[in-house]
Every structure is written in structure tokens, then in C-alpha cells.
Amino acid sequence: MNRVQISKYELFSLIILFQWGTTIIFGFGAAAGRDAWIASLISTGIGTALILLYVLIFRLGGDRTLAEWFTYAFGKWVGTPLSWLYPLIFIYNGARIISDIRFLLPVTIMNLTPDWVIGITFLAVVVYAMLGGIEVLARIAAFLLPFLLLAIVLEMILLGASRSLHYVNLLPIVGEGWGRIWESIWPLGIMQTYGESIEFALIWGYVSQKKGLAATTGSATLFAGFFIALLGLLTIAGMGEAVFQQMMYPAFALLKLSRITFIDNLDALGIMYLVINAFIKLSMHLYAASLFIQQLIAAKKIRPVIFAVAGLALLLSMTMVVSFTEHLEVAMVTVPYHLWLPLYLVLPMIVLAVLPLRNWIGGKKS
């Protein structure tokens, strides 16, 4: 494990692109209307605290990975069944990303391509990158992050130059009260993106310099959350609350507002956002699941596990609901409450409460 190492900057980049995911395409906190950017900022603050809690568990547990938390805290007979829940949810999350890609690409740029071809092709590229290991994925993220940041800055300049932003659309701030803002924050706003980052507890052991791990992880989360909130604010300012709430992927519509006579087809920027972030997020979901299973079954090689995990994710994506509205309903209501909340918050909090006693018992035995 120590022979494979990633730098702090690579971890920083990987966290940012993972947390952006498809969030910047679909629009964060649409239920909060024109106050979605406020919901995003609050979610980022709480989400950062949650991720730092994961770092604390990692440190208190003797730098044990997520795959070892539950067996260390609760013992083999209780911990092992709990541990298996995590690779399964990671695979399910990955399947949802494949399903998103299968839906979005045909309705944007690849109208005549069968969605199953898009899903298989995209997954094949992801598997190829995963076979290179976490070092390859981290280096890809470190290479791509500056280009995405440049694209976002370019988009902001074009929107400003075309005078497409009307900040009156943001007023009155919190005019409808805090109820709908909190509804967007809990639990979806925290569990999606930030709770999902528990996967990084599997790769923190690969970071070459663990000193300052919490600072790197926390700053990356704040950075990612700031840009999610910024893009939400720009979208609302450009299109208004009603359109923002009704559009399935407002980020694409926002790009069309840049009315510059000599620049056309800015949809390419939106496609770049989608493909790059979905690639990183899907890669992390499936690689984390593969690494978790490899550690659980003590497999010598991860390659067979990667192929099995990828095949299962593809199968699940093909059997998900056909209606995209239902697909989003499951993502926003069913999954956050019944899967993400217990796995990303409740169980880690229990582990954190048990760790001091477990460490004390371990110290007495030694």
C-alpha cells in the first residue's frame, strides 16, 4: 500500500472534481428557489464538518481505512456485515451516474446514439483508468482541474459581457423564509456530494504526506462548495427562480444566455463539465467499491474485482427506472433518507463514539 502514493495537490483535485460531480449540471438545491445558493453555502459548511469527522475517525482508528472501521470498532461478527453495505451503496451510486450519462448525452449532443452504447463506452473508459490505480485517477484529476476552472471563469466573463445576469432575480433574499432552504440542506444537500466523500477514507492511506490531511481535505471541500454555490447564483440571476426550479439541467440553459456574436455553441462547455466530473465521480465510486471488496475478501489482485464491480454497476444502470422524473425523485428523497443518512452519518457517529473505548481496550491488551 505504501508503494502507491498520491500528492496533496492530487488529493485536493480529486476531491473537488468528485464533489462537483453532476451537481453543477443539475443545479443544487432547486427546492430552495432563488435562495439555492444560500442552501449550497450552508450545506458546504456542514458537509466540511462531516468530512473532517471522517478524517478524525481515520486518525483515531490508527489510519485504518473505511474497510476496517467497523470490524475494528464492533468486532468481526458485527463489523463485517456492516462493512459490506458500503461497497454495495458505492456500486449503486455508480450505477446512477451511468444512468445519468445514458440520459443526458443523447438529449444534448448524441441524439442518434443508443443510450446503452453510450453507457458501455463511457464505462469502458472508466474501467481502463481504474486499472491504472488510484495514482492514475489522481493525476488525471490534477491535470483536468485547471482546465475546468478556466472554463468556469470564461463562462462568467461571457455572461457578464453579454449582460445576461440580472441580480434582481435573487431578491428578496430569504423572502420565503428559511423553511425551504433547510429542506434543501437536510439531508440531500449534505449527504449528496459531502456524505459521499466518505469514500476518500479508503485512499487517505495513499497520501504521501499525511500531515495536514484535514486541512487539504477541508479546503478542497470549501473550494468545491464555493463554486457549486457560485454557479447556482449565476443560474438564478440569469434565468430567474421559476426556470431554475423547472429545468432538469439548468447549467446547459445558462450557457445559452451568453449572447456573443462571434462565439457559438457554448454547449460544449456544459458537455465538458458533465463528462469530466461524471468520469471522476464514477471512477471513484467504482474504484472505492473495488478497493473495499478487495480488502474485505483479502484478494491479492484488484483487477478481477474491478471487472466484477463495473459489470454489476452496468447491469443496475440498465434496470433503473425509465422515467427521468422518477429517477430524480428516488435520488432526492428515497436514497438520502433510507441509504445515505444511516451509512454516511449515523454509523460513522457510532464508530466515533466507540473508538475511544476500543483504543483503551487495545492499549490494555498490549
Side-chain angles (χ1 to χ4, degrees), residues 42-72:
I42 297 174
S43 295
T44 299
I46 300 174
T48 301
L50 179 61
I51 293 170
L52 292 179
L53 180 144
Y54 299 152
V55 177
L56 179 60
I57 296 173
F58 176 74
R59 286 305 203 182
L60 289 178
D63 290 358
R64 287 177 171 83
T65 71
L66 177 62
E68 301 169 294
W69 286 4
F70 303 99
T71 52
Y72 178 69

mmCIF file of all heavy atoms in Angstrom, residues 42-72:
data_model
loop_
_atom_site.group_PDB
_atom_site.id
_atom_site.type_symbol
_atom_site.label_atom_id
_atom_site.label_comp_id
_atom_site.label_asym_id
_atom_site.label_seq_id
_atom_site.Cartn_x
_atom_site.Cartn_y
_atom_site.Cartn_z
ATOM 1 N N ILE A 42 -24.515 26.805 3.056
ATOM 2 C CA ILE A 42 -24.714 26.188 4.373
ATOM 3 C C ILE A 42 -24.397 24.697 4.317
ATOM 4 O O ILE A 42 -23.764 24.141 5.224
ATOM 5 C CB ILE A 42 -26.149 26.435 4.867
ATOM 6 C CG1 ILE A 42 -26.397 27.937 5.063
ATOM 7 C CG2 ILE A 42 -26.406 25.680 6.174
ATOM 8 C CD1 ILE A 42 -27.833 28.287 5.415
ATOM 9 N N SER A 43 -24.832 24.040 3.232
ATOM 10 C CA SER A 43 -24.535 22.612 3.066
ATOM 11 C C SER A 43 -23.033 22.381 3.024
ATOM 12 O O SER A 43 -22.531 21.384 3.564
ATOM 13 C CB SER A 43 -25.182 22.088 1.784
ATOM 14 O OG SER A 43 -26.594 22.149 1.856
ATOM 15 N N THR A 44 -22.319 23.297 2.376
ATOM 16 C CA THR A 44 -20.866 23.170 2.288
ATOM 17 C C THR A 44 -20.226 23.253 3.667
ATOM 18 O O THR A 44 -19.325 22.473 3.999
ATOM 19 C CB THR A 44 -20.284 24.268 1.387
ATOM 20 O OG1 THR A 44 -20.827 24.134 0.072
ATOM 21 C CG2 THR A 44 -18.768 24.170 1.322
ATOM 22 N N GLY A 45 -20.702 24.200 4.491
ATOM 23 C CA GLY A 45 -20.153 24.336 5.837
ATOM 24 C C GLY A 45 -20.386 23.092 6.674
ATOM 25 O O GLY A 45 -19.456 22.568 7.311
ATOM 26 N N ILE A 46 -21.628 22.582 6.654
ATOM 27 C CA ILE A 46 -21.943 21.376 7.428
ATOM 28 C C ILE A 46 -21.234 20.162 6.822
ATOM 29 O O ILE A 46 -20.724 19.295 7.537
ATOM 30 C CB ILE A 46 -23.461 21.143 7.479
ATOM 31 C CG1 ILE A 46 -24.163 22.339 8.129
ATOM 32 C CG2 ILE A 46 -23.790 19.865 8.250
ATOM 33 C CD1 ILE A 46 -25.681 22.271 8.094
ATOM 34 N N GLY A 47 -21.206 20.109 5.483
ATOM 35 C CA GLY A 47 -20.536 19.000 4.805
ATOM 36 C C GLY A 47 -19.056 18.950 5.106
ATOM 37 O O GLY A 47 -18.475 17.860 5.252
ATOM 38 N N THR A 48 -18.413 20.113 5.209
ATOM 39 C CA THR A 48 -16.992 20.154 5.549
ATOM 40 C C THR A 48 -16.771 19.587 6.943
ATOM 41 O O THR A 48 -15.826 18.811 7.172
ATOM 42 C CB THR A 48 -16.460 21.597 5.481
ATOM 43 O OG1 THR A 48 -16.659 22.115 4.164
ATOM 44 C CG2 THR A 48 -14.977 21.649 5.819
ATOM 45 N N ALA A 49 -17.646 19.950 7.886
ATOM 46 C CA ALA A 49 -17.547 19.397 9.237
ATOM 47 C C ALA A 49 -17.710 17.876 9.220
ATOM 48 O O ALA A 49 -17.008 17.155 9.944
ATOM 49 C CB ALA A 49 -18.600 20.031 10.143
ATOM 50 N N LEU A 50 -18.622 17.379 8.377
ATOM 51 C CA LEU A 50 -18.843 15.939 8.273
ATOM 52 C C LEU A 50 -17.603 15.226 7.740
ATOM 53 O O LEU A 50 -17.194 14.183 8.262
ATOM 54 C CB LEU A 50 -20.040 15.658 7.357
ATOM 55 C CG LEU A 50 -20.399 14.188 7.109
ATOM 56 C CD1 LEU A 50 -20.772 13.498 8.412
ATOM 57 C CD2 LEU A 50 -21.532 14.080 6.096
ATOM 58 N N ILE A 51 -16.984 15.805 6.725
ATOM 59 C CA ILE A 51 -15.795 15.178 6.144
ATOM 60 C C ILE A 51 -14.626 15.218 7.127
ATOM 61 O O ILE A 51 -13.836 14.265 7.210
ATOM 62 C CB ILE A 51 -15.443 15.863 4.813
ATOM 63 C CG1 ILE A 51 -16.538 15.588 3.787
ATOM 64 C CG2 ILE A 51 -14.097 15.375 4.282
ATOM 65 C CD1 ILE A 51 -16.429 16.402 2.531
ATOM 66 N N LEU A 52 -14.514 16.300 7.874
ATOM 67 C CA LEU A 52 -13.469 16.359 8.899
ATOM 68 C C LEU A 52 -13.723 15.334 9.996
ATOM 69 O O LEU A 52 -12.783 14.827 10.619
ATOM 70 C CB LEU A 52 -13.389 17.769 9.484
ATOM 71 C CG LEU A 52 -12.880 18.847 8.522
ATOM 72 C CD1 LEU A 52 -12.867 20.211 9.196
ATOM 73 C CD2 LEU A 52 -11.488 18.503 7.988
ATOM 74 N N LEU A 53 -14.988 15.008 10.230
ATOM 75 C CA LEU A 53 -15.311 13.919 11.160
ATOM 76 C C LEU A 53 -14.767 12.588 10.639
ATOM 77 O O LEU A 53 -14.235 11.786 11.410
ATOM 78 C CB LEU A 53 -16.823 13.843 11.363
ATOM 79 C CG LEU A 53 -17.366 12.761 12.308
ATOM 80 C CD1 LEU A 53 -18.565 13.295 13.079
ATOM 81 C CD2 LEU A 53 -17.794 11.502 11.532
ATOM 82 N N TYR A 54 -14.883 12.376 9.324
ATOM 83 C CA TYR A 54 -14.311 11.157 8.728
ATOM 84 C C TYR A 54 -12.793 11.123 8.914
ATOM 85 O O TYR A 54 -12.211 10.064 9.207
ATOM 86 C CB TYR A 54 -14.631 11.080 7.233
ATOM 87 C CG TYR A 54 -16.099 11.029 6.879
ATOM 88 C CD1 TYR A 54 -16.556 11.525 5.653
ATOM 89 C CD2 TYR A 54 -17.032 10.485 7.749
ATOM 90 C CE1 TYR A 54 -17.898 11.474 5.311
ATOM 91 C CE2 TYR A 54 -18.380 10.434 7.413
ATOM 92 C CZ TYR A 54 -18.811 10.936 6.191
ATOM 93 O OH TYR A 54 -20.135 10.889 5.852
ATOM 94 N N VAL A 55 -12.150 12.285 8.743
ATOM 95 C CA VAL A 55 -10.697 12.355 8.935
ATOM 96 C C VAL A 55 -10.343 12.034 10.383
ATOM 97 O O VAL A 55 -9.371 11.323 10.666
ATOM 98 C CB VAL A 55 -10.156 13.746 8.552
ATOM 99 C CG1 VAL A 55 -8.652 13.836 8.832
ATOM 100 C CG2 VAL A 55 -10.419 14.055 7.091
ATOM 101 N N LEU A 56 -11.149 12.536 11.322
ATOM 102 C CA LEU A 56 -10.913 12.269 12.739
ATOM 103 C C LEU A 56 -11.017 10.780 13.044
ATOM 104 O O LEU A 56 -10.187 10.225 13.783
ATOM 105 C CB LEU A 56 -11.917 13.059 13.581
ATOM 106 C CG LEU A 56 -11.830 12.885 15.101
ATOM 107 C CD1 LEU A 56 -10.462 13.322 15.620
ATOM 108 C CD2 LEU A 56 -12.942 13.673 15.796
ATOM 109 N N ILE A 57 -12.029 10.129 12.477
ATOM 110 C CA ILE A 57 -12.169 8.675 12.673
ATOM 111 C C ILE A 57 -10.965 7.949 12.092
ATOM 112 O O ILE A 57 -10.424 7.016 12.706
ATOM 113 C CB ILE A 57 -13.469 8.167 12.023
ATOM 114 C CG1 ILE A 57 -14.703 8.768 12.704
ATOM 115 C CG2 ILE A 57 -13.538 6.631 12.083
ATOM 116 C CD1 ILE A 57 -16.012 8.439 12.012
ATOM 117 N N PHE A 58 -10.531 8.374 10.908
ATOM 118 C CA PHE A 58 -9.365 7.774 10.256
ATOM 119 C C PHE A 58 -8.137 7.882 11.161
ATOM 120 O O PHE A 58 -7.377 6.916 11.315
ATOM 121 C CB PHE A 58 -9.127 8.483 8.923
ATOM 122 C CG PHE A 58 -7.898 8.046 8.183
ATOM 123 C CD1 PHE A 58 -7.850 6.823 7.524
ATOM 124 C CD2 PHE A 58 -6.780 8.870 8.127
ATOM 125 C CE1 PHE A 58 -6.709 6.425 6.838
ATOM 126 C CE2 PHE A 58 -5.640 8.488 7.440
ATOM 127 C CZ PHE A 58 -5.605 7.263 6.797
ATOM 128 N N ARG A 59 -7.949 9.057 11.769
ATOM 129 C CA ARG A 59 -6.795 9.274 12.628
ATOM 130 C C ARG A 59 -6.915 8.519 13.954
ATOM 131 O O ARG A 59 -5.966 7.859 14.392
ATOM 132 C CB ARG A 59 -6.627 10.774 12.903
ATOM 133 C CG ARG A 59 -6.084 11.557 11.715
ATOM 134 C CD ARG A 59 -4.789 10.967 11.232
ATOM 135 N NE ARG A 59 -3.982 11.929 10.508
ATOM 136 C CZ ARG A 59 -2.816 11.646 9.954
ATOM 137 N NH1 ARG A 59 -2.341 10.420 10.053
ATOM 138 N NH2 ARG A 59 -2.129 12.556 9.295
ATOM 139 N N LEU A 60 -8.071 8.605 14.614
ATOM 140 C CA LEU A 60 -8.261 7.917 15.887
ATOM 141 C C LEU A 60 -8.197 6.406 15.729
ATOM 142 O O LEU A 60 -7.835 5.691 16.668
ATOM 143 C CB LEU A 60 -9.616 8.314 16.498
ATOM 144 C CG LEU A 60 -9.743 9.746 17.044
ATOM 145 C CD1 LEU A 60 -11.149 9.986 17.570
ATOM 146 C CD2 LEU A 60 -8.710 10.004 18.134
ATOM 147 N N GLY A 61 -8.557 5.929 14.551
ATOM 148 C CA GLY A 61 -8.512 4.492 14.291
ATOM 149 C C GLY A 61 -7.152 3.998 13.857
ATOM 150 O O GLY A 61 -7.031 2.872 13.349
ATOM 151 N N GLY A 62 -6.131 4.811 14.034
ATOM 152 C CA GLY A 62 -4.780 4.375 13.664
ATOM 153 C C GLY A 62 -4.561 4.345 12.173
ATOM 154 O O GLY A 62 -3.845 3.469 11.679
ATOM 155 N N ASP A 63 -5.157 5.294 11.460
ATOM 156 C CA ASP A 63 -5.044 5.381 9.998
ATOM 157 C C ASP A 63 -5.616 4.140 9.301
ATOM 158 O O ASP A 63 -5.162 3.751 8.218
ATOM 159 C CB ASP A 63 -3.593 5.608 9.548
ATOM 160 C CG ASP A 63 -3.099 7.009 9.904
ATOM 161 O OD1 ASP A 63 -3.889 7.803 10.450
ATOM 162 O OD2 ASP A 63 -1.927 7.310 9.632
ATOM 163 N N ARG A 64 -6.602 3.539 9.935
ATOM 164 C CA ARG A 64 -7.287 2.411 9.303
ATOM 165 C C ARG A 64 -8.249 2.936 8.239
ATOM 166 O O ARG A 64 -8.877 3.966 8.407
ATOM 167 C CB ARG A 64 -8.057 1.590 10.338
ATOM 168 C CG ARG A 64 -7.163 0.747 11.232
ATOM 169 C CD ARG A 64 -7.970 -0.007 12.289
ATOM 170 N NE ARG A 64 -7.141 -0.965 12.992
ATOM 171 C CZ ARG A 64 -6.354 -0.659 14.023
ATOM 172 N NH1 ARG A 64 -6.308 0.592 14.455
ATOM 173 N NH2 ARG A 64 -5.621 -1.588 14.608
ATOM 174 N N THR A 65 -8.387 2.184 7.152
ATOM 175 C CA THR A 65 -9.275 2.588 6.079
ATOM 176 C C THR A 65 -10.729 2.330 6.452
ATOM 177 O O THR A 65 -11.025 1.647 7.443
ATOM 178 C CB THR A 65 -8.968 1.834 4.777
ATOM 179 O OG1 THR A 65 -9.370 0.460 4.924
ATOM 180 C CG2 THR A 65 -7.487 1.902 4.429
ATOM 181 N N LEU A 66 -11.628 2.868 5.646
ATOM 182 C CA LEU A 66 -13.057 2.667 5.868
ATOM 183 C C LEU A 66 -13.409 1.185 5.941
ATOM 184 O O LEU A 66 -14.304 0.787 6.690
ATOM 185 C CB LEU A 66 -13.846 3.337 4.735
ATOM 186 C CG LEU A 66 -15.361 3.185 4.734
ATOM 187 C CD1 LEU A 66 -15.977 3.804 5.983
ATOM 188 C CD2 LEU A 66 -15.956 3.814 3.471
ATOM 189 N N ALA A 67 -12.709 0.352 5.183
ATOM 190 C CA ALA A 67 -12.986 -1.084 5.166
ATOM 191 C C ALA A 67 -12.669 -1.745 6.501
ATOM 192 O O ALA A 67 -13.121 -2.864 6.766
ATOM 193 C CB ALA A 67 -12.191 -1.762 4.051
ATOM 194 N N GLU A 68 -11.899 -1.062 7.355
ATOM 195 C CA GLU A 68 -11.502 -1.642 8.646
ATOM 196 C C GLU A 68 -12.214 -0.995 9.828
ATOM 197 O O GLU A 68 -12.097 -1.495 10.955
ATOM 198 C CB GLU A 68 -9.985 -1.480 8.830
ATOM 199 C CG GLU A 68 -9.153 -2.127 7.745
ATOM 200 C CD GLU A 68 -7.690 -1.720 7.819
ATOM 201 O OE1 GLU A 68 -7.394 -0.529 7.588
ATOM 202 O OE2 GLU A 68 -6.856 -2.594 8.129
ATOM 203 N N TRP A 69 -12.925 0.103 9.603
ATOM 204 C CA TRP A 69 -13.541 0.825 10.721
ATOM 205 C C TRP A 69 -14.465 -0.045 11.552
ATOM 206 O O TRP A 69 -14.391 -0.070 12.779
ATOM 207 C CB TRP A 69 -14.337 2.024 10.191
ATOM 208 C CG TRP A 69 -13.514 3.178 9.731
ATOM 209 C CD1 TRP A 69 -12.140 3.237 9.658
ATOM 210 C CD2 TRP A 69 -13.996 4.435 9.271
ATOM 211 N NE1 TRP A 69 -11.746 4.462 9.174
ATOM 212 C CE2 TRP A 69 -12.862 5.223 8.931
ATOM 213 C CE3 TRP A 69 -15.269 4.984 9.105
ATOM 214 C CZ2 TRP A 69 -12.976 6.524 8.441
ATOM 215 C CZ3 TRP A 69 -15.384 6.274 8.613
ATOM 216 C CH2 TRP A 69 -14.251 7.038 8.292
ATOM 217 N N PHE A 70 -15.332 -0.761 10.889
ATOM 218 C CA PHE A 70 -16.432 -1.424 11.593
ATOM 219 C C PHE A 70 -15.985 -2.721 12.254
ATOM 220 O O PHE A 70 -16.458 -3.050 13.352
ATOM 221 C CB PHE A 70 -17.597 -1.644 10.631
ATOM 222 C CG PHE A 70 -18.072 -0.364 10.024
ATOM 223 C CD1 PHE A 70 -17.671 0.007 8.740
ATOM 224 C CD2 PHE A 70 -18.863 0.506 10.742
ATOM 225 C CE1 PHE A 70 -18.069 1.210 8.194
ATOM 226 C CE2 PHE A 70 -19.270 1.717 10.208
ATOM 227 C CZ PHE A 70 -18.867 2.075 8.926
ATOM 228 N N THR A 71 -15.086 -3.448 11.632
ATOM 229 C CA THR A 71 -14.562 -4.648 12.282
ATOM 230 C C THR A 71 -13.680 -4.270 13.470
ATOM 231 O O THR A 71 -13.647 -4.976 14.480
ATOM 232 C CB THR A 71 -13.768 -5.504 11.287
ATOM 233 O OG1 THR A 71 -12.782 -4.682 10.621
ATOM 234 C CG2 THR A 71 -14.683 -6.127 10.247
ATOM 235 N N TYR A 72 -12.974 -3.146 13.364
ATOM 236 C CA TYR A 72 -12.140 -2.683 14.482
ATOM 237 C C TYR A 72 -13.019 -2.204 15.634
ATOM 238 O O TYR A 72 -12.739 -2.489 16.801
ATOM 239 C CB TYR A 72 -11.225 -1.551 14.010
ATOM 240 C CG TYR A 72 -10.363 -0.972 15.109
ATOM 241 C CD1 TYR A 72 -9.319 -1.707 15.677
ATOM 242 C CD2 TYR A 72 -10.600 0.312 15.599
ATOM 243 C CE1 TYR A 72 -8.540 -1.185 16.695
ATOM 244 C CE2 TYR A 72 -9.826 0.847 16.621
ATOM 245 C CZ TYR A 72 -8.792 0.097 17.160
ATOM 246 O OH TYR A 72 -8.014 0.624 18.171
#
